[in-house]
Every structure is written in C-alpha cells, then in structure tokens.
Amino acid sequence: MEQFRFACPCNFGLESVLSGELKRMGAKEVTAADGRVDFSGTVEDLARANLWLRTAERVLVVLGSFRAVSFAQLFNEVEKLPFEAFIGKNDRFPVKGWSLNSQLHSVPDCQSIIKKAAVKRLGKKYGITWFEETGALYQIQFSILKDQVTVMLDTSGAGLHKRGYRRVQTQAPIKETLAAGILDIARIYPDTHLYDPFCGSGTFLIEAAYKAKNIAPGLYRRFAAESWACLPKKVWQSQREDALSQIRKEIDFRAFGSDISPEALEIAAGNLKKANVASLAEVKQMDVKDFTVPEEKSIVVCNPPYGERLLDPREAEELCRTMGRVFRPSDRVGYFIISSVENFEELFGRPADKRRKLYNGMVKCQLYLYFPQGRKG
C-alpha cells in the first residue's frame, strides 16, 4: 500500500498532544517541530486523520522538501515534484504560503514562481499549455524556513477547528483545537464531570462531550480531498462508518457551563444542540464569584477574560483574585485555567502544580494546572 508523508500544523504548545493523538491513531514515523507534527501513512490514514484529529489545524500531503536560496533554484526544484499524481488537467491549484528567516522572503514572488513551475510540470504531463482550473480544489501550500522549502497539498479545506457545530460565537471564543488540547491535558473520561464558569459559546463543554463519547470531531463536516479523483470514495465512506461505530452510547459524563452573559448562554445552548450533545450539558447564568466547589469528583476548565480583548487589565487582575477565592483547593476537584495575565499565580493566591506555555491566537498564555490535593499529575 502506497505510503505518503503528511504534515499537520498545530497551535504552538500542543505539539506533544498532537503527537500523542497520531500515535494512538496508529500513525508511523511521527516527528514534531515547532507548530507542526509530521507522520507517514496511507490514504486511509489521510481520511482518518481528518476525521479524528482534535488538535491539528489541517492535514497536508508533503510533495517534497528542499533547500533554495534563489528563484531559479526554487523553480527547478518545484518542477521536479509529482503534482500529476494528484492534480488533474481540469483541477484548480492555487498557491499560498509563508517565508521566515530565508533569502527568498517575498511571499508573492514565491507564490508566482511555484505556480509557474507547477503549470510547466503539469503542462508537460498532460500536453496542454492552458489550464481552465474549473475542477476540484488542490490548494498548494508552501513554507520556507531558514531557506528550507516544503511544498504540500491541503487535504482538509476549511481548517479542522471548524467542526460544524459553532454557527454563532461570542466575543473572543477559544478555538476548538486549542480547547481540545487543553482537555487532553486535563484528561476527559466517559464518567468525567466538567465545569466551565466562563463557558461563552460552549466550546469546552462540546469538545469535552465529544471526547467522552468518542465522537470524531470531523464526523459532521466535509473535506477538500473528498472531491479528489485520485482518492477512492470508499475510503471516506468506510472511515466514517468506522467512526460512527466507535461512538459510546451510554456514558456518565456531565458538563456544567455558566456565564454572566445571557446572550452567551443562548449561543451555547444552540451550539450544544447543533453538536448533538445537549443532553450531556447544562448551562445557567451565574457570576464566577458565586461559583461553589463541586462535591463530586470533577474538573474545572476555563478560559477567563484576559484583559486583552474583553476586560481592561485591572478588571482581569481582579477576576484572577476572585477565581483564587472561589476555586478552593480540594481533594476532589482539579482546575485548568488558561490566562495571559503575567502575575496570575500571585493574584490567584497560590502557585500552580504545573504550567504549560500555550498561544491563544497570537496571545501568549500559560495553562495553569491545579491538581486535586494528593494528586501529583
């Protein structure tokens, strides 16, 4: 069975989480770099990765990687790549990408040259000089880092964070892939009880329910590569059927969300319903200052306003103090809080058991882990 090399961009700080996902999925030769995890696999793995990966931003087929310091070198190396193994003579193949710390720093020029090289290669293979580009989309992506060029095809289309359930969102929502990564760190089981006192549009509630029920996050959406003639349709059908068969029917998981905003709660309730997990979650209006520590074994996972977009810095600091008062130490409850507030632990009133650097969009944050008393990690 033919093997391919794949690249999965991810949120900075989640490389080890995504690597773990891929290894559990059975991927081979998993390697991680900053903001990206690569692996080897078959077309079945391509479909499985798109359906199942919770923390990847997309799944890319790597066509080739090489060093280039001149436009002539870039053109010649790109022309050697096997575009015709995927792209048909009627298909669309736009180009986009980025360059960092490289001699080839002009992204528009690199786009133009890669496009011309792909056209020349495909023109020779198909015996034509003009491409109408009216067929399926094969988005060519490139990255140039320290003069090392990687050329890829995007199999996902819309980013994998777009699960299909969040049609409406609140201000500054946490990205689904980042929420899933935090929940992986927090550990979600079929009997977990989860609380989010800043639930917003309900992302933590839904992602946790998906994890508990073992619902593939991409099950209810489509992917660019599903329209590729080079991939058999039965691969996608069989992988979807397999994903459906793995959904847990009866679980004891419960999610409890609260927020001070009634508008946010209305959005959260709609998103929970759209995600088909409304029966597993409850939402209610409540200020975090009224939060009480659950009596049962549970976890609190939240993304409070940072003072970056929703609150001014002083309000954000006071919110940290409030959380420190109400999120009291417990032998039954663990707390997982993502925040960009520099002196969070001082304001919260106690040091975290562990910290983890993450980025929420472009905002540098820390995930603060407070385990139940007696647990070491």
Side-chain angles (χ1 to χ4, degrees), residues 312-328:
D312 68 42
R314 283 180 295 182
E315 289 176 314
E317 290 181 355
E318 183 56 37
L319 191 57
C320 294
R321 294 188 185 95
T322 299
M323 285 190 288
R325 289 194 294 270
V326 299
F327 293 176
R328 297 192 309 275

Side-chain angles (χ1 to χ4, degrees), residues 145-307:
L145 178 62
K146 297 179 180 178
D147 299 324
Q148 187 67 24
V149 182
T150 304
V151 181
M152 302 158 284
L153 291 177
D154 177 16
T155 73
S156 301
L160 294 182
H161 70 281
K162 295 188 176 180
R163 320 291 207 208
Y165 63 72
R166 195 160 74 176
R167 299 299 175 87
V168 183
Q169 62 189 36
T170 55
Q171 268 190 295
I174 192 166
K175 203 172 185 180
E176 294 88 336
T177 43
L178 176 56
I182 292 170
L183 291 167
D184 189 284
I185 295 166
R187 302 178 189 173
I188 301 298
Y189 300 103
D191 62 349
T192 293
H193 284 195
L194 176 139
Y195 290 78
D196 180 0
F198 303 93
C199 71
S201 56
T203 306
F204 274 130
L205 310 180
I206 296 169
E207 291 295 321
Y210 271 24
K211 180 77 170 176
K213 282 187 69 69
N214 201 36
I215 296 174
L219 187 59
Y220 304 117
R221 55 157 286 174
R222 294 291 171 177
F223 307 96
E226 290 190 70
S227 63
W228 292 7
C230 58
L231 299 181
K233 302 293 184 188
K234 64 181 181 181
V235 168
W236 297 95
Q237 181 180 348
S238 64
Q239 290 300 323
R240 276 201 163 84
E241 290 172 353
D242 181 64
L244 282 167
S245 72
Q246 293 189 50
I247 296 175
R248 299 185 182 107
K249 304 300 182 185
E250 300 295 331
I251 62 174
D252 295 322
F253 171 88
R254 294 295 298 172
F256 303 90
S258 56
D259 202 286
I260 198 169
S261 165
E263 293 80 13
L265 294 173
E266 185 177 351
I267 292 170
N271 289 341
L272 284 160
K273 185 176 180 181
K274 181 69 178 176
N276 297 313
V277 293
S279 63
L280 299 176
E282 299 175 22
V283 294
K284 67 176 182 178
Q285 186 176 5
M286 186 179 71
D287 193 309
V288 68
K289 66 181 177 61
D290 298 319
F291 179 85
T292 55
V293 178
E295 295 183 2
E296 76 276 13
K297 182 181 177 182
S298 53
I299 61 173
V300 175
V301 184
C302 61
N303 172 40
Y306 306 155

Side-chain angles (χ1 to χ4, degrees), residues 71 98-110 144 147:
F71 291 133
W98 55 267
S99 177
L100 184 65
N101 298 331
S102 300
Q103 294 186 53
L104 300 178
H105 54 81
S106 171
V107 170
D109 286 339
C110 291
I144 309 177
D147 299 324

Side-chain angles (χ1 to χ4, degrees), residues 14-36:
L14 292 183
E15 296 88 353
S16 63
V17 175
L18 177 53
S19 295
E21 282 195 88
L22 284 163
K23 290 172 183 176
R24 291 193 297 271
M25 199 182 76
K28 307 298 182 185
E29 300 176 306
V30 177
T31 59
D34 288 344
R36 168 176 156 178

Side-chain angles (χ1 to χ4, degrees), residues 13-14 16-17 185 354-358 365-367 369:
L14 292 183
S16 63
V17 175
I185 295 166
K354 285 186 178 180
R355 291 188 300 172
R356 190 163 185 149
K357 186 188 296 183
L358 294 174
C365 298
Q366 292 278 353
L367 177 65
L369 289 70

